Amino acid sequence: MKDLIQRIRTDWQFLIVAVTTAAVGLNFLAHPGLLDDHSAYAFIVSVLDDAVFSVPISVGGIIGIMTFIIGWVPARIPLLVFYQFVWIILFFAYIWRTFNGYPNSTWIMALAINVMIFLVALWGDEDVG
């Protein structure tokens, strides 16, 4: 347990990305039709609300959490690539809707998470492992 607490203190960025990704995927999975409200998010409803998208991002986030807990650092690179892919899709979907007359601020969150994933991939392994 002491090792896990130390890992959280020195590598919290990766854990946040993994937990956020898992939470978004599980939220889409638990609430089918969540985005089907013909508002700012209607553009992506056919993709995001489907298990084809929600299950892989949920599983990817959960795998990231599990590999973090056990300290398996080699899994980070493919997971960060996957997380970047998921969050860049979300960013482009939300920003596209903003430019098409459905203002929302979710694109800001998605952009911030993309930047964080990039920085974790760039600098995040300095104190890990």
Side-chain angles (χ1 to χ4, degrees):
M1 185 62 149
K2 186 176 180 181
D3 184 47
L4 177 60
I5 291 170
Q6 181 60 33
R7 196 172 311 115
I8 290 170
R9 286 184 180 160
T10 60
D11 196 24
W12 57 269
Q13 305 94 334
F14 182 83
L15 183 60
I16 289 173
V17 171
V19 169
T20 302
T21 302
V24 167
L26 291 171
N27 191 42
F28 288 147
L29 191 60
H31 299 96
L34 176 69
L35 302 177
D36 192 17
D37 61 0
H38 306 291
S39 67
Y41 311 113
F43 173 71
I44 53 177
V45 68
S46 65
V47 177
L48 296 181
D49 277 351
D50 191 9
V52 172
F53 191 76
S54 59
V55 169
I57 65 174
S58 300
V59 169
I62 291 167
I63 289 171
I65 295 166
M66 292 169 57
T67 60
F68 180 88
I69 289 171
I70 65 172
W72 191 37
V73 176
R76 294 170 60 92
I77 293 171
L79 285 169
L80 286 170
V81 170
F82 175 73
Y83 296 157
Q84 190 77 65
F85 172 75
V86 167
W87 285 100
I88 202 75
I89 288 172
L90 292 170
F91 168 72
F92 282 127
Y94 295 138
I95 198 78
W96 176 262
R97 292 304 289 168
T98 297
F99 287 130
N100 281 296
Y102 298 95
N104 67 85
S105 58
T106 311
W107 67 270
I108 298 168
M109 177 195 69
L111 177 61
I113 292 173
N114 273 293
V115 170
M116 184 176 181
I117 293 168
F118 177 77
L119 294 176
V120 167
L122 187 63
W123 296 320
D125 288 342
E126 290 182 13
D127 296 329
V128 178

